[in-house]
Amino acid sequence: MGTKLLLCDCAGTQELDPDRIESACGVSCSKVHTALCTTQLQSAAELMQDGDTVIACLQEQDVFQSLAEDLDIDVPGFFDLRDRAGWSEQGTDATPKMAALAAEALLPQPVTPSVDVISEGTCFIVGPGAVGFDLAEKLAGTLAVTVLATDQAEPTSRAFDVIRGRVKSVSGALGGFSLRLDAVQQVVPGGRGAFAWTEPRNGAQSACDIILDLTGGAPFVQAPNKREGYLRADPKDVVAVERLAFDAMQLIGTFEKPLYVRLEESLCAHSRAEQVGCTNCLDICPTGAITPAGEHVSIDPMVCAGCGACAALCPSTAITYEDPTVSALLSRMHVLARTYRRAGGAAPRLLIHNTHGAEMIRLAARFGRGLPSDVIPLELNVISGFGHAEMLAALAHGFARVDVLLAPTTERDSLDHEIALARAIAGADGIGLIDEADPDAMSDLLYGQDVPQPLAEPVLPLGNRRQITRLAAQALNPQADAPLPLPDNAPYGAVAVNTDSCTLCLSCVSLCPSGALIDNPDKPQLNFQQDACLQCGMCKTICPEEAITLVPQLDLSDAALSQQVLNEEEPFACVECGALFGVKSTVERIMEKLSGTHPMFASSDQARMIQMCDNCRVKVQFQQQDNPFQSKPKPRVVTTDDYYSDRKDH
């Protein structure tokens, strides 16, 4: 049997059309129930025992999970129809959206790669002694506690370790913190009266699994709220300190740490030959998980909080997001748009949100207008990594508009950049940000939107993010006869070369990380393939003549996929052997400047060497009479005839 959808109209508060949903999704729908979680729970049990069941209810998920455990069967799948579609001013028109949400819920979701993090409960508390010692007393029975007192408070217990000093730096995350400490003093436990202390020493190192920061000052790490295992509270807030103790005791054991991003070092355009190019990921990372590592960057997976901004801004696709992958996200959007049209819908809108947005949608549905029938919500773990490629792909799939619903904790910098870039390619009408904290205001905004026409013939863009962008942009701009101008710092564009200044030294070619700039081994020529250009600026930085300018644009023509000549000149022919070498104008310019004026080229013979290829120049230098490196003439090879000649002479 195939997958079964269990539908419930929640006490008659929503209208469901099982036939249209079944037809659009290609799955079996049971009859519409009215109280599946209460009076009809026995019917739910019978249907669940058949296996491969998905229930269209999230509110009572725990009830059905408990039922599955009692029946000793697999837990069914769950998704929400009521809050996202049925409870709406336009709920009677929401069947196409319901079908789309059902189809998306049936998609298999890839598993995010992860690694185990082990925390054995080694806890480091730093802060005023009075607060730190009291907290340590409560934790000492569960955790292995060390307190660093930042004042002169005297400990009264040896149930935990106590030191004095100051924290110089902190690195790492849960299960693997490293600390560097200065002015460290340790307790001398012997003797009567107050404890004695050792002399202060700098450069101490320590390691722990958990850090409790009670200093009340600046945090020791970037984005402390995103650093797992790093807990902080105001030492004057008794309730916050108590909550800190409870949270710390939960951090013992083995935890699964998702590996949010993947780095392909060979594609990274950070630097070449100590010349810095792209720094997008370094500038945007809120936690400091990304650091330079030679010609590429390095990402600490334990510190990474998975915001995804680095992947959205990476021009070369060296960094890719894995939770979910781009391909998995595109599959979800494709299924949503395709099923909506199959069920009779015409112009769907896509609303990207996270868990905070999901709660706003639930509140708007229960107490307000709910979502419009053509607005399809798509929940992601984080929304800051939803970049221009994904926005354009959504429009290419057939969505009329894409909006991102912000949350109070959303990092805005990457989203602002990516939306500006997407609008430059697709137009401003189809892409937007919703910055509303009130559910009713969010609903009113969505109901009042002007909805543009979707793409008449949707396409399915595939590949990496650069390829997705190009394919989607071509579908959205079928009449484009010139490159689309883009904002500064866009990852697509051309390079303009001032041919009057360029000497064809080809320094830019040697440093170009993507191979967009190419030389010609047969002649002095600088070629360029626009589709490969990352606009990293390395060529502009290295050019000794300052002849290169970056031109952010997106050329959708086939010309961008082939090589174009940016500058070329006639080669110079060696005056000795006639071999072509160098650039004619450059050789002539050097002759003009050095011949007869520079001591090394005072004579005509010396100056003539400037006009020789490398091989001929070496030969001439070794043939000069005053050459200090010239060796004696090579001795003649002795032959048999020479021996016969010597015998005749004797």
Side-chain angles (χ1 to χ4, degrees):
M1 295 180 63
T3 302
K4 299 186 302 297
L5 292 182
L6 304 192
L7 302 176
C8 180
D9 64 14
C10 199
T13 56
Q14 64 174 335
E15 294 187 20
L16 297 170
D17 189 337
D19 294 334
R20 288 178 63 189
I21 294 175
E22 181 176 296
S23 175
C25 296
V27 295
S28 172
C29 290
S30 67
K31 69 174 185 177
V32 176
H33 298 80
T34 298
L36 199 59
C37 59
T38 54
T39 59
Q40 295 175 318
L41 194 59
Q42 182 59 38
S43 297
E46 294 172 358
L47 291 168
M48 288 167 54
Q49 284 178 316
D50 293 336
D52 202 5
T53 304
V54 177
I55 302 177
C57 178
L58 276 181
Q59 176 178 284
E60 301 304 321
Q61 179 176 345
D62 291 343
V63 172
F64 296 111
Q65 286 179 335
S66 298
L67 179 60
E69 292 175 3
D70 293 341
L71 297 173
D72 194 22
I73 60 175
D74 293 337
V75 175
F78 300 93
F79 74 103
D80 169 55
L81 281 185
R82 186 192 66 184
D83 295 337
R84 296 189 293 171
W87 282 0
S88 164
E89 277 190 5
Q90 300 175 350
T92 56
D93 302 323
T95 298
K97 180 164 76 167
M98 291 181 176
L101 294 173
E104 188 247 345
L106 297 173
L107 276 178
Q109 297 302 318
V111 178
T112 302
S114 62
V115 64
D116 286 343
V117 173
I118 299 175
S119 171
E120 297 178 344
T122 305
C123 180
F124 189 88
I125 301 175
V126 54
V131 181
F133 299 154
D134 182 60
L135 182 59
E137 287 278 7
K138 299 173 182 176
L139 296 177
T142 306
L143 307 177
V145 181
T146 297
V147 179
L148 186 151
T150 56
D151 54 19
Q152 300 301 308
E154 292 287 343
T156 58
S157 171
R158 292 294 293 157
F160 48 85
D161 293 331
V162 178
I163 60 175
R164 289 175 180 170
R166 62 178 179 271
V167 177
K168 184 176 182 181
S169 65
V170 173
S171 60
L174 175 66
F177 281 107
S178 295
L179 301 96
R180 294 183 63 84
L181 312 173
D182 280 347
V184 175
Q185 294 178 277
Q186 294 177 286
V187 171
V188 179
R192 186 180 181 189
F195 291 119
W197 297 83
T198 62
E199 289 297 317
R201 297 180 63 183
N202 293 332
Q205 297 185 27
S206 183
C208 63
D209 298 319
I210 308 163
I211 294 179
L212 304 185
D213 180 1
L214 300 175
T215 60
F220 299 117
V221 298
Q222 289 181 239
N225 294 335
K226 296 179 180 295
R227 187 68 63 94
E228 294 170 345
Y230 182 87
L231 309 176
R232 62 195 301 256
D234 185 344
K236 299 177 182 179
D237 188 338
V238 178
V239 175
V241 174
E242 290 292 332
R243 188 181 301 116
L244 210 65
F246 174 80
D247 293 340
M249 286 189 286
Q250 312 306 311
L251 297 178
I252 304 176
T254 301
F255 302 89
E256 193 175 78
K257 169 70 175 179
L259 300 176
Y260 295 108
V261 296
R262 180 169 56 86
L263 172 65
E264 183 62 49
E265 296 176 353
S266 62
L267 298 178
C268 182
H270 172 56
S271 71
R272 295 293 185 274
E274 299 184 355
Q275 297 293 323
V276 176
C278 175
T279 61
N280 288 354
C281 60
L282 295 168
D283 297 336
I284 203 66
C285 181
T287 63
I290 306 178
T291 53
E295 294 192 344
H296 54 79
V297 297
S298 176
I299 302 178
D300 187 340
M302 298 299 104
V303 176
C304 174
C307 71
C310 56
L313 295 179
C314 180
S316 66
T317 71
I319 301 177
T320 53
Y321 197 61
E322 301 286 296
D323 187 36
T325 62
V326 174
S327 59
L329 178 56
L330 262 60
S331 294
R332 294 172 66 185
M333 293 192 297
H334 172 61
V335 166
L336 286 170
R338 181 188 62 188
T339 309
Y340 184 87
R341 291 191 297 269
R342 281 182 178 177
R349 288 180 279 170
L350 186 66
L351 181 64
I352 302 297
H353 64 90
N354 60 6
T355 53
H356 176 269
E359 182 61 26
M360 287 184 64
I361 292 171
R362 284 191 286 270
L363 291 172
R366 180 170 287 275
F367 301 106
R369 304 174 69 183
L371 295 180
S373 62
D374 62 339
V375 173
I376 303 178
L378 176 59
E379 183 174 351
L380 302 177
N381 293 328
V382 293
I383 57 178
S384 50
F386 192 79
H388 69 275
E390 292 83 358
M391 297 173 192
L392 297 174
L395 296 177
H397 283 312
F399 286 99
R401 182 178 174 87
V402 180
D403 286 290
V404 180
L405 177 58
L406 296 177
T409 57
T410 301
E411 289 86 5
R412 286 285 301 267
D413 291 345
S414 63
L415 273 175
D416 289 338
H417 177 275
E418 293 298 280
I419 281 187
L421 179 55
R423 284 175 170 172
I425 296 173
D429 295 337
I431 300 170
L433 281 178
I434 298 179
D435 191 2
E436 288 288 352
D438 180 74
D440 290 334
M442 174 200 69
S443 294
D444 292 341
L445 189 152
L446 290 171
Y447 276 98
Q449 275 184 346
D450 293 328
V451 183
Q453 288 297 315
L455 195 64
E457 297 182 3
V459 298
L460 183 61
L462 299 172
N464 60 37
R465 299 183 78 253
R466 291 183 68 87
Q467 294 165 337
I468 291 167
T469 298
R470 181 174 181 81
L471 292 171
Q474 287 177 329
L476 297 168
N477 298 275
Q479 306 300 325
D481 55 0
L484 305 175
L486 300 180
D488 292 340
N489 300 318
Y492 315 99
V495 294
V497 175
N498 184 341
T499 55
D500 294 333
S501 302
C502 176
T503 61
L504 287 172
C505 68
L506 301 181
S507 297
C508 54
V509 173
S510 64
L511 262 64
C512 181
S514 64
L517 290 166
I518 312 147
D519 66 346
N520 187 335
D522 299 325
K523 60 189 329 184
Q525 190 178 76
L526 176 61
N527 297 312
F528 176 68
Q529 183 175 330
Q530 187 168 162
D531 180 60
C533 180
L534 307 176
Q535 295 285 287
C536 64
M538 216 174 298
C539 56
K540 179 181 178 181
T541 301
I542 198 60
C543 180
E545 309 298 339
E546 299 182 353
I548 293 179
T549 304
L550 300 181
V551 184
Q553 64 180 33
L554 183 59
D555 189 349
L556 301 177
S557 69
D558 292 341
L561 305 177
S562 58
Q563 294 183 21
Q564 303 169 352
V565 177
L566 296 182
N567 192 18
E568 64 178 337
E569 288 198 37
E570 183 182 349
F572 190 85
C574 175
V575 294
E576 283 287 316
C577 68
L580 299 178
F581 79 100
V583 182
K584 184 177 181 181
S585 63
T586 302
V587 174
E588 292 175 348
R589 191 181 304 118
I590 294 174
M591 284 290 295
E592 180 182 347
K593 290 185 177 182
L594 299 182
S595 181
T597 60
H598 196 281
M600 289 184 61
F601 305 99
S603 68
S604 59
D605 289 340
Q606 291 172 322
R608 192 168 182 269
M609 285 193 294
I610 299 174
Q611 299 173 300
M612 298 179 188
C613 66
D614 292 343
N615 291 334
C616 293
R617 191 179 302 120
V618 171
K619 291 178 182 179
V620 170
Q621 285 178 321
F622 273 86
Q623 290 171 358
Q624 292 176 352
Q625 293 183 355
D626 57 349
N627 177 18
F629 301 103
Q630 186 176 16
S631 60
K632 295 181 179 180
K634 185 177 180 180
R636 188 174 66 85
V637 177
V638 179
T639 65
T640 303
D641 292 338
D642 293 323
Y643 288 108
Y644 286 136
S645 176
D646 289 343
R647 289 180 181 179
K648 291 178 181 179
D649 292 341
H650 295 292

